Structures are given as C-alpha cells and as structure tokens.
Amino acid sequence: MGTMNLKMLLESKELERCPFPIPVGWFHVDFSENLKVGEIRNVQLFGQEWVLFRTESGKPGMSDPYCPHLGAHMGHGGKVCGEHLRCPFHHWEYDTSGWCKSIPYAKVMPPVVKKQAILRTLPMVEKYGMLWAWYHPQCEPPGFELPYIPEIEDATGYAGARRGSWTANTCIQEIAENGVDTAHLKFLHGAPGIPPVDASYDGPIMKLDIGKGYIVGTAYGPGLNVMRFNQHGITATMISYSVPISLEKTQMNMSFRHVDYAEGTPELHASKKVIDHMIGAAEGEESAGFESVDFVVWNNKKYRPNPLLCDGDGPVLQFRKWFKQFYPGQEDSTKI
C-alpha cells in the first residue's frame, strides 16, 4: 500500500457551505406591477437591506437605506417627492442615481455633491414586466445588457401564466452548477439516462445544449437563464431568474411559457405536459422535479473546491472558471 492522501480524507473539516461573495450581474427584484408610483419599500437582497421606491414619473430606484448626512434610515419615514427620495430626518433629497438634489436649509451645498453621487444606488431597468437591478460590489456600471426574450416580450404568439418561487439555503453558484451537472438527472431525479451536455462560453454568456438539442439554454450572467425544451414537436420555455438574498440564501424564480396553440390541440396538450415535467408535477412521471429532491442536497451540502470528478461528469470545472468572472478581485482565488 502506497502513502495515503491524507489531505483528501481530511479536507472535509475545512469545507465551507458558501465560500463566495455576492456575484456581479442583473438580478430580478420584483414584478413591475408590485411597485406603485410613490411607493417606498425595504427589501433584503445582495446581503443587505435596500430602499426600493418608484418616482412620480414611474422610474424605479433602489438605494442604500442610510442617509449620507447623519445616517437616518430612509425606508422608515422617507418619502418620494417628485423624482427624488427624501430623507425623513432633514429632508435631504436624492435622485435614482444617488445624486443629492436638495438640502432645503443649506446656503452652500457641500462641494462633493456637485462632483459625484453620494448615496449608493443600483442601476435599474424594467423589462419582461419585471424590475431588474445591476449589482456590482465596487459600484461599476452594467457590463452587459439584458437580452430580448420573445416568449415574455412579444405581445402575441405566446401563452402561459405559470410561475414559481422557491427559497434555497445555498449560494447562487451552487444552483447554477446544476445546469452542467447532467449526471445528477439520472441518479437524483430518476431520469432514464444521462444526457450529453455541450457548454460554450462568451464573456458573461454561457450556452448549454443538453441531449443534442433536447434542452437548449442561455445564461446571461448569474441572474437570468432561458431554457428551451424541444420535445414532441413543440418548444416550451423556462425563464429562470434567481437572486441572492444573502451569502447563503437564494430566491429561485421561474416563469413558464409556450407557443399560444389553440385550445384542445395536441400541441397545447404537449406544451403543458412538458412544463409540468419541468417542475416534476406531471402525472405518471417517474422522474422527480427539483423541488422535491434538489433542495435536500442544496440545503445541506458543502462546497468542494477540489472535486474528485470522473469521465461521466459534465463540464463542472469549466463552468466554475466561467462563473469566477462575476467575483471581481477573486480572479486569483483557488476557490473555483
């Protein structure tokens, strides 16, 4: 017997559940209809609290809670005044970009307010009937744009109001890694086989082809994934938009859409069955949906930075290398 690899046997003691910061990207905050004009709400996302508001003209804003003046929490007693968020303490006002626009009693504004934003705010866009925020730990501007998704942007041609939301007690990278780990589909979900997976990477975009065209997906950073399931002559679409609540908690959100086939057609029946199958709700199905089985794994696993992989595994290491770009300053870290 040769020398034993003790490092491998003892590494488990050193493992962490979620050894990553909040990643950079566009993330879903809420559905547009849920934020009314003039409304202010405190939300917990990206490892901290934020003040979410909508100006009188309808522009969404999301800011750090604490006023740069004396630290009052603007989500408790603050007010939307026109296009500004007003602090309850001394009525300093800020726009959605974090620039101080009014100090009602100041004869001379502090010089810094003419030079830069003094309140941290997140860039926001409204798209797909949703509010999206760009998160970057060093406040850098958006590095890519959200894509056109016909299934949820076109006025006609698509149907399906089904959507779901689940909370997983793990970091967003662990959930995203499922996309390339096709071997678990057979063993955890009970799928009949292990489909081959091809992954290609282009900047913040990852393209997946699972089962040679069976499932074709595109990820746009960590916060948006569009998966098209091509079966029975139809295509059904799962739009996934997970968001990190904290370092160890992720809100998974999904919308399901299909072509607007006429009532009673076999295509409509097939489309609905494929969507049922995506979440493991189809009658007579042998395989289990992620809701019933993945959470048992996610909520209890630890992250192995040096996984022992075999020839049947998907491109896990390539995926981790791609994902690393969303952790600025972590490029030299060994934790991929």
Side-chain angles (χ1 to χ4, degrees):
M1 184 176 158
T3 53
M4 190 185 292
N5 185 339
L6 261 186
K7 183 179 182 295
M8 178 166 282
L9 297 182
L10 299 178
E11 188 187 39
S12 180
K13 294 161 75 74
E14 311 298 323
L15 297 180
E16 298 172 68
R17 275 186 45 71
C18 303
F20 300 107
I22 302 291
V24 167
W26 284 107
F27 295 102
H28 165 87
V29 174
D30 204 340
F31 294 98
S32 293
E33 68 212 31
N34 294 339
L35 187 66
K36 306 290 182 266
V37 165
E39 185 179 346
I40 291 184
R41 189 191 319 154
N42 299 318
V43 295
Q44 191 73 35
L45 288 175
F46 317 128
Q48 69 163 81
E49 193 174 37
W50 303 85
V51 178
L52 179 66
F53 62 98
R54 195 187 282 282
T55 71
E56 296 297 337
S57 73
K59 203 172 173 190
M62 196 165 164
S63 84
D64 258 336
Y66 305 105
C67 182
H69 175 215
L70 283 170
H73 193 304
M74 292 185 290
H76 294 280
K79 195 174 176 204
V80 171
C81 294
E83 294 307 291
H84 304 155
L85 174 64
R86 189 180 79 185
C87 174
F89 204 8
H90 300 84
H91 288 194
W92 287 37
E93 293 184 13
Y94 304 91
D95 67 11
T96 57
S97 297
W99 287 74
C100 179
K101 292 297 190 179
S102 171
I103 303 173
Y105 57 92
K107 291 188 174 64
V108 181
M109 299 272 273
V112 69
V113 307
K114 296 273 193 286
K115 294 182 187 151
Q116 68 163 81
I118 59 168
L119 173 69
R120 183 183 186 183
T121 60
L122 300 183
M124 294 195 79
V125 297
E126 290 201 67
K127 202 166 166 64
Y128 326 124
M130 304 175 196
L131 299 163
W132 290 80
W134 171 262
Y135 177 83
H136 190 290
Q138 277 88 44
C139 308
E140 288 186 16
F144 60 93
E145 290 184 6
L146 289 167
Y148 161 59
I149 305 175
E151 288 91 332
I152 45 176
E153 291 191 82
D154 287 6
T156 58
Y158 296 95
R162 195 163 184 180
R163 58 191 197 210
S165 192
W166 303 265
T167 306
N169 293 319
T170 190
C171 58
I172 199 167
Q173 180 178 325
E174 288 277 52
I175 294 168
E177 193 167 289
N178 258 23
V180 295
D181 175 15
T182 51
H184 92 286
L185 296 173
K186 175 176 171 66
F187 302 103
L188 185 65
H189 294 266
I194 302 174
V197 56
D198 283 315
S200 61
Y201 309 93
D202 181 13
I205 292 169
M206 171 177 69
K207 289 188 183 296
L208 285 178
D209 181 337
I210 299 169
K212 305 215 177 300
Y214 186 65
I215 302 172
V216 179
T218 309
Y220 302 89
L224 177 63
N225 202 340
V226 182
M227 306 285 281
R228 294 184 175 97
F229 292 65
N230 304 299
Q231 297 161 40
H232 318 300
I234 59 94
T235 297
T237 306
M238 176 174 84
I239 300 116
S240 167
Y241 37 102
S242 297
V243 55
I245 297 171
S246 67
L247 296 179
E248 298 199 358
K249 186 178 279 191
T250 304
Q251 194 71 29
M252 296 172 63
N253 306 292
M254 295 178 186
S255 292
F256 303 92
R257 301 283 282 167
H258 58 81
V259 174
D260 192 6
Y261 294 112
E263 205 59 51
T265 57
E267 289 87 355
L268 181 63
H269 177 75
S271 300
K272 289 186 169 174
K273 178 124 174 129
V274 168
I275 288 171
D276 280 346
H277 174 75
M278 289 180 201
I279 51 176
E283 286 181 40
E285 288 285 350
E286 291 300 314
S287 62
F290 72 86
E291 196 177 355
S292 57
V293 289
D294 283 311
F295 282 81
V296 176
V297 174
W298 285 332
N299 290 347
N300 297 286
K301 80 191 292 291
K302 285 193 173 180
Y303 181 82
R304 279 202 182 268
N306 307 301
L308 188 62
L309 300 170
C310 69
D311 60 348
D313 285 314
V316 170
L317 295 182
Q318 294 93 316
F319 164 82
R320 291 183 178 185
K321 190 175 175 197
W322 171 76
F323 207 94
K324 211 173 186 182
Q325 69 184 291
F326 305 115
Y327 303 126
Q330 300 272 312
E331 290 80 1
D332 299 327
S333 160
T334 53
K335 291 173 180 163
I336 53 170

